[in-house]
Amino acid sequence: MQIPGLIDPVPVARALPARADGRTAVVGLTRPELVAALVDAGIDARQAKMRASQVWHWVYHRGIVDFAAMANIAKETRALLAERFVVGRPEVAQAQVSADGTRKWLLRFADGNEAETVFIPDADRGTLCVSSQVGCTLNCRFCHTGTMALVRNLTPGEIVGQVMLARDALGEWPSALEGRQLTNIVMMGMGEPLYNFEAVKAALGIVMDATGLGLSKRRITLSTSGVVPLMARAGDEIGVNLAVSLHAVTKAVRDEIVPINKRYGIDELLAACAAYPGANNARRITFEYVMLKDKNDSDADARELVRLIRHYRLPAKVNLIPFNPWPGSAYECSTPERIARFSDIVFQGGISAPVRRPRGRDIMAACGQLKSASEKLSRADLDRRAAAKEAGWSAAA
Ligand code: SAH
Ligand code: SF4
């Protein structure tokens, strides 16, 4: 599987995931892929579309994992399906619940790699924070995920599987259930979603399908650290809300804490935000800004943030995220007074800038703390990796 890093991500055709037992996993197939897979398995081509709709309904609307329970499908066909396909869920290596109700699942995939999913309940909504990669190639200096040694893209099935698993755990089948807890999805778990564009696009297409999981694109947010060349495609082809991990307003500081800035600078990034398809005052772009003591939290930084947002005429809101420390992290969180002052300045500039309440800290489920138990890289290793990447970026430029 391709992990873009030294080069810009290029779309690659997706091979259907192969399982050791030779069966095909249904979860993660797009509708046309499911139809083709059914024909391949010997289902009459004239019936395949209808069969696909039936299977889709049982799997994504009803949450059924056993073909035998798919009552409106003929018995022999069910047997054939069971022989050739599997529905399934990711394996849960660990499940934790925080004192504040936040839940975290550590998932283990067939190859032994792990990724995390977090559910954050609130009074009026419930947000599932979904991972797009195992680890992340981008090495933002304040982010725990960026320290993971292993990185691979998740498949569409592994991404959709996170949503299915949360629905199971919350007891929220069928999908149309009134008053469901899981109302929103944010692609803010482990990984950079735009470095796994095709899989994220396929997965979110499945999640948004009205006859299945049925989450509206208005309730889904994709967060990027600023992969500028793919932002317009994300708007056009996926169409969900956009969040951008800005975190700094000067080149020097953003280069240090979000190294992709050396490749795509602040001006290029904000111009891409201004051009983001579908952004308007009713659907604003969220700028995430992690509050790091004495690094990016001065009054001048806040004023510059307002200036930039105005300069690019961005329909924007700012999310101020108190830095969540992790063992070995190089920064400290700004003081509550500093964060309040920063927020005031941005508010006075006419831009909403709420402070995000840290959730699930006791189970290491908060923003940027996600990291599975795999080997931790030393700071020196990380610096080497970042230097190699940057050398690649300048070579490619
Ligand atoms: N790779 C994507 C999405 C995953 S990170 C991105 O960077 O946007 C989700 C959010 O958590 C990002 O805004 C990220 O910058 C933030 N984050 C990472 N580490 C953090 C930490 N230690 N404390 C607070 N926020 C953090
Ligand atoms: Fe990757 Fe996002 Fe963490 Fe940066 S903040 S290392 S892009 S997951």
Side-chain angles (χ1 to χ4, degrees), residues 337-382:
E337 297 73 32
R338 187 89 296 272
I339 298 177
R341 170 89 183 126
F342 195 100
S343 170
D344 281 348
I345 294 174
V346 181
F347 265 117
Q348 279 158 20
I351 298 153
S352 158
V355 180
R356 216 195 266 175
R357 194 160 44 104
R359 301 290 302 272
R361 272 194 177 174
D362 53 339
I363 56 167
M364 291 285 284
C367 253
Q369 287 181 321
L370 303 186
K371 177 180 183 298
S372 78
S374 68
E375 182 210 348
K376 186 171 178 289
L377 291 182
S378 69
R379 187 70 252 170
D381 290 335
L382 283 170

mmCIF file of all heavy atoms in Angstrom, residues 337-382:
data_model
loop_
_atom_site.group_PDB
_atom_site.id
_atom_site.type_symbol
_atom_site.label_atom_id
_atom_site.label_comp_id
_atom_site.label_asym_id
_atom_site.label_seq_id
_atom_site.Cartn_x
_atom_site.Cartn_y
_atom_site.Cartn_z
ATOM 1 N N GLU A 337 -5.462 31.406 31.791
ATOM 2 C CA GLU A 337 -5.626 32.866 31.605
ATOM 3 C C GLU A 337 -5.178 33.266 30.202
ATOM 4 O O GLU A 337 -5.803 34.070 29.526
ATOM 5 C CB GLU A 337 -4.787 33.656 32.628
ATOM 6 C CG GLU A 337 -5.182 33.431 34.088
ATOM 7 C CD GLU A 337 -4.753 32.060 34.622
ATOM 8 O OE1 GLU A 337 -3.713 31.538 34.172
ATOM 9 O OE2 GLU A 337 -5.489 31.504 35.471
ATOM 10 N N ARG A 338 -4.057 32.706 29.767
ATOM 11 C CA ARG A 338 -3.523 33.029 28.434
ATOM 12 C C ARG A 338 -4.515 32.578 27.350
ATOM 13 O O ARG A 338 -4.782 33.284 26.382
ATOM 14 C CB ARG A 338 -2.160 32.316 28.282
ATOM 15 C CG ARG A 338 -1.380 32.647 27.055
ATOM 16 C CD ARG A 338 -0.430 33.856 27.157
ATOM 17 N NE ARG A 338 -0.985 35.148 27.379
ATOM 18 C CZ ARG A 338 -1.405 35.998 26.427
ATOM 19 N NH1 ARG A 338 -1.360 35.673 25.165
ATOM 20 N NH2 ARG A 338 -1.863 37.162 26.741
ATOM 21 N N ILE A 339 -5.041 31.364 27.546
ATOM 22 C CA ILE A 339 -5.980 30.831 26.548
ATOM 23 C C ILE A 339 -7.221 31.724 26.496
ATOM 24 O O ILE A 339 -7.711 32.064 25.406
ATOM 25 C CB ILE A 339 -6.368 29.367 26.876
ATOM 26 C CG1 ILE A 339 -5.125 28.473 26.842
ATOM 27 C CG2 ILE A 339 -7.412 28.850 25.890
ATOM 28 C CD1 ILE A 339 -5.368 27.009 27.219
ATOM 29 N N ALA A 340 -7.704 32.153 27.689
ATOM 30 C CA ALA A 340 -8.898 33.002 27.733
ATOM 31 C C ALA A 340 -8.634 34.328 27.025
ATOM 32 O O ALA A 340 -9.471 34.834 26.265
ATOM 33 C CB ALA A 340 -9.308 33.232 29.189
ATOM 34 N N ARG A 341 -7.463 34.897 27.251
ATOM 35 C CA ARG A 341 -7.108 36.174 26.630
ATOM 36 C C ARG A 341 -7.017 36.027 25.098
ATOM 37 O O ARG A 341 -7.498 36.845 24.330
ATOM 38 C CB ARG A 341 -5.759 36.636 27.218
ATOM 39 C CG ARG A 341 -5.124 37.793 26.547
ATOM 40 C CD ARG A 341 -5.590 39.124 27.137
ATOM 41 N NE ARG A 341 -4.983 40.213 26.377
ATOM 42 C CZ ARG A 341 -5.658 41.184 25.813
ATOM 43 N NH1 ARG A 341 -6.963 41.253 25.914
ATOM 44 N NH2 ARG A 341 -5.031 42.118 25.134
ATOM 45 N N PHE A 342 -6.382 34.938 24.658
ATOM 46 C CA PHE A 342 -6.238 34.658 23.230
ATOM 47 C C PHE A 342 -7.625 34.549 22.587
ATOM 48 O O PHE A 342 -7.906 35.159 21.550
ATOM 49 C CB PHE A 342 -5.458 33.349 23.060
ATOM 50 C CG PHE A 342 -4.925 33.084 21.679
ATOM 51 C CD1 PHE A 342 -3.594 33.332 21.362
ATOM 52 C CD2 PHE A 342 -5.749 32.557 20.681
ATOM 53 C CE1 PHE A 342 -3.090 33.061 20.085
ATOM 54 C CE2 PHE A 342 -5.254 32.296 19.407
ATOM 55 C CZ PHE A 342 -3.926 32.550 19.118
ATOM 56 N N SER A 343 -8.479 33.805 23.261
ATOM 57 C CA SER A 343 -9.837 33.610 22.761
ATOM 58 C C SER A 343 -10.577 34.942 22.670
ATOM 59 O O SER A 343 -11.255 35.225 21.675
ATOM 60 C CB SER A 343 -10.564 32.637 23.709
ATOM 61 O OG SER A 343 -11.924 32.591 23.420
ATOM 62 N N ASP A 344 -10.423 35.793 23.704
ATOM 63 C CA ASP A 344 -11.076 37.115 23.699
ATOM 64 C C ASP A 344 -10.654 37.952 22.498
ATOM 65 O O ASP A 344 -11.479 38.594 21.853
ATOM 66 C CB ASP A 344 -10.704 37.903 24.965
ATOM 67 C CG ASP A 344 -11.528 37.424 26.142
ATOM 68 O OD1 ASP A 344 -12.498 36.676 25.899
ATOM 69 O OD2 ASP A 344 -11.182 37.780 27.290
ATOM 70 N N ILE A 345 -9.357 37.961 22.244
ATOM 71 C CA ILE A 345 -8.855 38.787 21.129
ATOM 72 C C ILE A 345 -9.476 38.314 19.803
ATOM 73 O O ILE A 345 -9.919 39.114 18.982
ATOM 74 C CB ILE A 345 -7.310 38.745 21.057
ATOM 75 C CG1 ILE A 345 -6.725 39.408 22.312
ATOM 76 C CG2 ILE A 345 -6.786 39.416 19.788
ATOM 77 C CD1 ILE A 345 -5.212 39.311 22.428
ATOM 78 N N VAL A 346 -9.518 36.999 19.623
ATOM 79 C CA VAL A 346 -10.066 36.480 18.367
ATOM 80 C C VAL A 346 -11.574 36.783 18.290
ATOM 81 O O VAL A 346 -12.078 37.233 17.253
ATOM 82 C CB VAL A 346 -9.767 34.965 18.213
ATOM 83 C CG1 VAL A 346 -10.328 34.440 16.903
ATOM 84 C CG2 VAL A 346 -8.265 34.707 18.288
ATOM 85 N N PHE A 347 -12.270 36.611 19.419
ATOM 86 C CA PHE A 347 -13.703 36.960 19.463
ATOM 87 C C PHE A 347 -13.911 38.431 19.117
ATOM 88 O O PHE A 347 -14.803 38.787 18.343
ATOM 89 C CB PHE A 347 -14.293 36.682 20.852
ATOM 90 C CG PHE A 347 -14.956 35.338 20.969
ATOM 91 C CD1 PHE A 347 -14.460 34.373 21.852
ATOM 92 C CD2 PHE A 347 -16.093 35.012 20.226
ATOM 93 C CE1 PHE A 347 -15.062 33.125 21.969
ATOM 94 C CE2 PHE A 347 -16.705 33.771 20.343
ATOM 95 C CZ PHE A 347 -16.186 32.820 21.217
ATOM 96 N N GLN A 348 -13.072 39.283 19.728
ATOM 97 C CA GLN A 348 -13.211 40.726 19.458
ATOM 98 C C GLN A 348 -12.970 41.034 17.985
ATOM 99 O O GLN A 348 -13.473 42.025 17.459
ATOM 100 C CB GLN A 348 -12.249 41.531 20.329
ATOM 101 C CG GLN A 348 -12.805 41.727 21.740
ATOM 102 C CD GLN A 348 -11.704 42.027 22.760
ATOM 103 O OE1 GLN A 348 -10.612 42.450 22.378
ATOM 104 N NE2 GLN A 348 -11.992 41.797 24.023
ATOM 105 N N GLY A 349 -12.194 40.185 17.321
ATOM 106 C CA GLY A 349 -11.968 40.342 15.889
ATOM 107 C C GLY A 349 -13.161 39.845 15.073
ATOM 108 O O GLY A 349 -13.101 39.811 13.841
ATOM 109 N N GLY A 350 -14.208 39.398 15.741
ATOM 110 C CA GLY A 350 -15.425 38.988 15.038
ATOM 111 C C GLY A 350 -15.426 37.518 14.638
ATOM 112 O O GLY A 350 -16.227 37.096 13.807
ATOM 113 N N ILE A 351 -14.528 36.756 15.221
ATOM 114 C CA ILE A 351 -14.435 35.339 14.834
ATOM 115 C C ILE A 351 -14.665 34.471 16.071
ATOM 116 O O ILE A 351 -14.043 34.692 17.118
ATOM 117 C CB ILE A 351 -13.035 35.043 14.236
ATOM 118 C CG1 ILE A 351 -12.828 35.879 12.972
ATOM 119 C CG2 ILE A 351 -12.870 33.557 13.928
ATOM 120 C CD1 ILE A 351 -11.391 36.176 12.665
ATOM 121 N N SER A 352 -15.548 33.501 15.945
ATOM 122 C CA SER A 352 -15.839 32.628 17.078
ATOM 123 C C SER A 352 -14.586 31.805 17.416
ATOM 124 O O SER A 352 -13.958 31.232 16.528
ATOM 125 C CB SER A 352 -17.024 31.748 16.689
ATOM 126 O OG SER A 352 -17.047 30.608 17.471
ATOM 127 N N ALA A 353 -14.226 31.769 18.706
ATOM 128 C CA ALA A 353 -13.002 31.051 19.092
ATOM 129 C C ALA A 353 -13.193 30.349 20.430
ATOM 130 O O ALA A 353 -12.553 30.686 21.435
ATOM 131 C CB ALA A 353 -11.819 32.009 19.157
ATOM 132 N N PRO A 354 -14.084 29.345 20.468
ATOM 133 C CA PRO A 354 -14.281 28.640 21.733
ATOM 134 C C PRO A 354 -13.062 27.812 22.116
ATOM 135 O O PRO A 354 -12.277 27.414 21.249
ATOM 136 C CB PRO A 354 -15.484 27.733 21.435
ATOM 137 C CG PRO A 354 -15.445 27.534 19.961
ATOM 138 C CD PRO A 354 -14.878 28.789 19.370
ATOM 139 N N VAL A 355 -12.947 27.564 23.403
ATOM 140 C CA VAL A 355 -11.854 26.712 23.892
ATOM 141 C C VAL A 355 -12.415 25.307 24.015
ATOM 142 O O VAL A 355 -13.447 25.087 24.655
ATOM 143 C CB VAL A 355 -11.367 27.199 25.275
ATOM 144 C CG1 VAL A 355 -10.222 26.315 25.773
ATOM 145 C CG2 VAL A 355 -10.946 28.660 25.194
ATOM 146 N N ARG A 356 -11.744 24.380 23.380
ATOM 147 C CA ARG A 356 -12.248 23.010 23.429
ATOM 148 C C ARG A 356 -11.963 22.407 24.808
ATOM 149 O O ARG A 356 -10.863 22.552 25.324
ATOM 150 C CB ARG A 356 -11.566 22.174 22.356
ATOM 151 C CG ARG A 356 -12.518 21.165 21.755
ATOM 152 C CD ARG A 356 -11.807 20.128 20.983
ATOM 153 N NE ARG A 356 -11.722 20.431 19.558
ATOM 154 C CZ ARG A 356 -11.042 19.664 18.722
ATOM 155 N NH1 ARG A 356 -10.384 18.618 19.165
ATOM 156 N NH2 ARG A 356 -10.995 19.961 17.446
ATOM 157 N N ARG A 357 -12.990 21.776 25.341
ATOM 158 C CA ARG A 357 -12.828 21.148 26.655
ATOM 159 C C ARG A 357 -12.101 19.812 26.465
ATOM 160 O O ARG A 357 -12.523 19.002 25.639
ATOM 161 C CB ARG A 357 -14.234 20.903 27.210
ATOM 162 C CG ARG A 357 -14.348 20.559 28.654
ATOM 163 C CD ARG A 357 -15.795 20.839 29.109
ATOM 164 N NE ARG A 357 -16.795 20.353 28.164
ATOM 165 C CZ ARG A 357 -17.530 19.242 28.368
ATOM 166 N NH1 ARG A 357 -17.364 18.520 29.447
ATOM 167 N NH2 ARG A 357 -18.432 18.870 27.476
ATOM 168 N N PRO A 358 -11.027 19.597 27.183
ATOM 169 C CA PRO A 358 -10.336 18.314 26.994
ATOM 170 C C PRO A 358 -11.209 17.165 27.479
ATOM 171 O O PRO A 358 -11.804 17.254 28.544
ATOM 172 C CB PRO A 358 -9.085 18.428 27.875
ATOM 173 C CG PRO A 358 -9.112 19.776 28.495
ATOM 174 C CD PRO A 358 -10.434 20.418 28.239
ATOM 175 N N ARG A 359 -11.315 16.121 26.690
ATOM 176 C CA ARG A 359 -12.146 14.976 27.067
ATOM 177 C C ARG A 359 -11.313 13.705 27.102
ATOM 178 O O ARG A 359 -10.394 13.542 26.322
ATOM 179 C CB ARG A 359 -13.287 14.803 26.055
ATOM 180 C CG ARG A 359 -14.202 16.017 25.933
ATOM 181 C CD ARG A 359 -15.051 16.227 27.166
ATOM 182 N NE ARG A 359 -15.872 15.081 27.470
ATOM 183 C CZ ARG A 359 -17.092 14.890 26.968
ATOM 184 N NH1 ARG A 359 -17.620 15.766 26.139
ATOM 185 N NH2 ARG A 359 -17.783 13.805 27.287
ATOM 186 N N GLY A 360 -11.683 12.832 28.010
ATOM 187 C CA GLY A 360 -11.069 11.505 28.073
ATOM 188 C C GLY A 360 -9.578 11.498 28.370
ATOM 189 O O GLY A 360 -8.872 10.572 28.001
ATOM 190 N N ARG A 361 -9.117 12.536 29.075
ATOM 191 C CA ARG A 361 -7.676 12.582 29.355
ATOM 192 C C ARG A 361 -7.210 11.385 30.178
ATOM 193 O O ARG A 361 -6.099 10.901 30.012
ATOM 194 C CB ARG A 361 -7.324 13.866 30.106
ATOM 195 C CG ARG A 361 -7.014 15.021 29.176
ATOM 196 C CD ARG A 361 -6.357 16.154 29.930
ATOM 197 N NE ARG A 361 -6.001 17.222 29.007
ATOM 198 C CZ ARG A 361 -5.514 18.401 29.378
ATOM 199 N NH1 ARG A 361 -5.313 18.665 30.650
ATOM 200 N NH2 ARG A 361 -5.211 19.306 28.489
ATOM 201 N N ASP A 362 -8.093 10.946 31.108
ATOM 202 C CA ASP A 362 -7.698 9.849 32.003
ATOM 203 C C ASP A 362 -7.450 8.537 31.267
ATOM 204 O O ASP A 362 -6.766 7.659 31.772
ATOM 205 C CB ASP A 362 -8.751 9.666 33.126
ATOM 206 C CG ASP A 362 -10.174 9.495 32.579
ATOM 207 O OD1 ASP A 362 -10.421 9.899 31.429
ATOM 208 O OD2 ASP A 362 -11.023 8.949 33.297
ATOM 209 N N ILE A 363 -8.002 8.396 30.053
ATOM 210 C CA ILE A 363 -7.746 7.154 29.299
ATOM 211 C C ILE A 363 -6.906 7.453 28.052
ATOM 212 O O ILE A 363 -6.903 6.690 27.100
ATOM 213 C CB ILE A 363 -9.064 6.424 28.926
ATOM 214 C CG1 ILE A 363 -10.016 7.342 28.139
ATOM 215 C CG2 ILE A 363 -9.759 5.870 30.157
ATOM 216 C CD1 ILE A 363 -11.181 6.614 27.472
ATOM 217 N N MET A 364 -6.196 8.570 28.078
ATOM 218 C CA MET A 364 -5.349 8.979 26.945
ATOM 219 C C MET A 364 -6.150 8.970 25.639
ATOM 220 O O MET A 364 -5.679 8.496 24.604
ATOM 221 C CB MET A 364 -4.119 8.061 26.817
ATOM 222 C CG MET A 364 -3.106 8.211 27.932
ATOM 223 S SD MET A 364 -2.117 9.714 27.793
ATOM 224 C CE MET A 364 -0.986 9.290 26.488
ATOM 225 N N ALA A 365 -7.364 9.521 25.711
ATOM 226 C CA ALA A 365 -8.204 9.529 24.514
ATOM 227 C C ALA A 365 -8.321 10.924 23.939
ATOM 228 O O ALA A 365 -9.028 11.142 22.964
ATOM 229 C CB ALA A 365 -9.598 8.997 24.856
ATOM 230 N N ALA A 366 -7.653 11.908 24.559
ATOM 231 C CA ALA A 366 -7.812 13.283 24.099
ATOM 232 C C ALA A 366 -7.049 13.509 22.806
ATOM 233 O O ALA A 366 -6.159 12.733 22.443
ATOM 234 C CB ALA A 366 -7.321 14.240 25.177
ATOM 235 N N CYS A 367 -7.430 14.586 22.138
ATOM 236 C CA CYS A 367 -6.804 14.999 20.885
ATOM 237 C C CYS A 367 -5.297 14.823 20.889
ATOM 238 O O CYS A 367 -4.622 15.332 21.773
ATOM 239 C CB CYS A 367 -7.005 16.499 20.730
ATOM 240 S SG CYS A 367 -8.171 16.897 19.520
ATOM 241 N N GLY A 368 -4.791 14.146 19.892
ATOM 242 C CA GLY A 368 -3.343 14.080 19.733
ATOM 243 C C GLY A 368 -2.640 13.148 20.691
ATOM 244 O O GLY A 368 -1.432 12.989 20.635
ATOM 245 N N GLN A 369 -3.406 12.501 21.575
ATOM 246 C CA GLN A 369 -2.748 11.555 22.490
ATOM 247 C C GLN A 369 -2.777 10.147 21.919
ATOM 248 O O GLN A 369 -2.183 9.236 22.472
ATOM 249 C CB GLN A 369 -3.465 11.540 23.842
ATOM 250 C CG GLN A 369 -3.210 12.792 24.663
ATOM 251 C CD GLN A 369 -3.916 12.714 26.003
ATOM 252 O OE1 GLN A 369 -5.034 12.220 26.096
ATOM 253 N NE2 GLN A 369 -3.274 13.190 27.038
ATOM 254 N N LEU A 370 -3.509 9.979 20.829
ATOM 255 C CA LEU A 370 -3.711 8.634 20.316
ATOM 256 C C LEU A 370 -2.408 8.040 19.788
ATOM 257 O O LEU A 370 -1.714 8.631 19.001
ATOM 258 C CB LEU A 370 -4.763 8.637 19.208
ATOM 259 C CG LEU A 370 -6.127 9.201 19.605
ATOM 260 C CD1 LEU A 370 -7.122 9.005 18.483
ATOM 261 C CD2 LEU A 370 -6.623 8.556 20.879
ATOM 262 N N LYS A 371 -2.152 6.852 20.275
ATOM 263 C CA LYS A 371 -0.957 6.154 19.827
ATOM 264 C C LYS A 371 -1.085 4.738 20.352
ATOM 265 O O LYS A 371 -1.328 4.537 21.537
ATOM 266 C CB LYS A 371 0.287 6.809 20.427
ATOM 267 C CG LYS A 371 1.572 6.099 20.072
ATOM 268 C CD LYS A 371 2.744 6.819 20.724
ATOM 269 C CE LYS A 371 4.055 6.200 20.339
ATOM 270 N NZ LYS A 371 4.187 4.815 20.764
ATOM 271 N N SER A 372 -0.938 3.763 19.494
ATOM 272 C CA SER A 372 -1.082 2.400 19.981
ATOM 273 C C SER A 372 0.222 1.980 20.638
ATOM 274 O O SER A 372 1.183 2.734 20.687
ATOM 275 C CB SER A 372 -1.438 1.461 18.838
ATOM 276 O OG SER A 372 -0.285 1.189 18.102
ATOM 277 N N ALA A 373 0.248 0.762 21.134
ATOM 278 C CA ALA A 373 1.382 0.313 21.937
ATOM 279 C C ALA A 373 2.633 0.026 21.110
ATOM 280 O O ALA A 373 3.640 -0.385 21.649
ATOM 281 C CB ALA A 373 0.976 -0.947 22.690
ATOM 282 N N SER A 374 2.587 0.271 19.804
ATOM 283 C CA SER A 374 3.753 -0.100 19.002
ATOM 284 C C SER A 374 4.957 0.767 19.361
ATOM 285 O O SER A 374 4.825 1.802 19.989
ATOM 286 C CB SER A 374 3.442 0.021 17.523
ATOM 287 O OG SER A 374 3.261 1.354 17.199
ATOM 288 N N GLU A 375 6.093 0.318 18.938
ATOM 289 C CA GLU A 375 7.376 0.901 19.330
ATOM 290 C C GLU A 375 7.401 2.423 19.197
ATOM 291 O O GLU A 375 6.930 2.982 18.222
ATOM 292 C CB GLU A 375 8.443 0.285 18.421
ATOM 293 C CG GLU A 375 9.838 0.728 18.700
ATOM 294 C CD GLU A 375 10.677 0.696 17.416
ATOM 295 O OE1 GLU A 375 10.209 0.115 16.417
ATOM 296 O OE2 GLU A 375 11.759 1.250 17.426
ATOM 297 N N LYS A 376 7.987 3.073 20.187
ATOM 298 C CA LYS A 376 8.053 4.529 20.167
ATOM 299 C C LYS A 376 9.404 4.945 19.585
ATOM 300 O O LYS A 376 10.428 4.347 19.876
ATOM 301 C CB LYS A 376 7.925 5.039 21.601
ATOM 302 C CG LYS A 376 7.824 6.531 21.695
ATOM 303 C CD LYS A 376 7.479 6.930 23.126
ATOM 304 C CE LYS A 376 7.430 8.429 23.261
ATOM 305 N NZ LYS A 376 8.716 9.090 23.183
ATOM 306 N N LEU A 377 9.385 5.957 18.739
ATOM 307 C CA LEU A 377 10.635 6.438 18.169
ATOM 308 C C LEU A 377 11.287 7.431 19.119
ATOM 309 O O LEU A 377 10.603 8.185 19.804
ATOM 310 C CB LEU A 377 10.367 7.158 16.854
ATOM 311 C CG LEU A 377 9.909 6.323 15.662
ATOM 312 C CD1 LEU A 377 9.759 7.221 14.445
ATOM 313 C CD2 LEU A 377 10.902 5.222 15.364
ATOM 314 N N SER A 378 12.603 7.480 19.113
ATOM 315 C CA SER A 378 13.296 8.489 19.920
ATOM 316 C C SER A 378 13.196 9.825 19.199
ATOM 317 O O SER A 378 12.904 9.887 18.002
ATOM 318 C CB SER A 378 14.764 8.101 20.080
ATOM 319 O OG SER A 378 15.399 8.223 18.832
ATOM 320 N N ARG A 379 13.456 10.910 19.944
ATOM 321 C CA ARG A 379 13.427 12.239 19.326
ATOM 322 C C ARG A 379 14.429 12.300 18.158
ATOM 323 O O ARG A 379 14.158 12.872 17.114
ATOM 324 C CB ARG A 379 13.778 13.271 20.405
ATOM 325 C CG ARG A 379 13.644 14.716 20.004
ATOM 326 C CD ARG A 379 12.190 15.140 19.823
ATOM 327 N NE ARG A 379 11.866 15.338 18.415
ATOM 328 C CZ ARG A 379 10.654 15.524 17.934
ATOM 329 N NH1 ARG A 379 9.605 15.523 18.723
ATOM 330 N NH2 ARG A 379 10.451 15.706 16.657
ATOM 331 N N ALA A 380 15.587 11.648 18.347
ATOM 332 C CA ALA A 380 16.603 11.680 17.286
ATOM 333 C C ALA A 380 16.082 10.983 16.027
ATOM 334 O O ALA A 380 16.256 11.473 14.908
ATOM 335 C CB ALA A 380 17.885 11.011 17.778
ATOM 336 N N ASP A 381 15.402 9.838 16.217
ATOM 337 C CA ASP A 381 14.830 9.128 15.064
ATOM 338 C C ASP A 381 13.827 10.014 14.336
ATOM 339 O O ASP A 381 13.782 10.072 13.110
ATOM 340 C CB ASP A 381 14.081 7.861 15.524
ATOM 341 C CG ASP A 381 15.025 6.788 16.030
ATOM 342 O OD1 ASP A 381 16.186 6.801 15.604
ATOM 343 O OD2 ASP A 381 14.595 5.960 16.850
ATOM 344 N N LEU A 382 13.012 10.696 15.170
ATOM 345 C CA LEU A 382 11.979 11.547 14.570
ATOM 346 C C LEU A 382 12.610 12.672 13.766
ATOM 347 O O LEU A 382 12.167 12.997 12.666
ATOM 348 C CB LEU A 382 11.103 12.159 15.666
ATOM 349 C CG LEU A 382 10.084 11.206 16.261
ATOM 350 C CD1 LEU A 382 9.446 11.839 17.482
ATOM 351 C CD2 LEU A 382 9.028 10.878 15.229
#
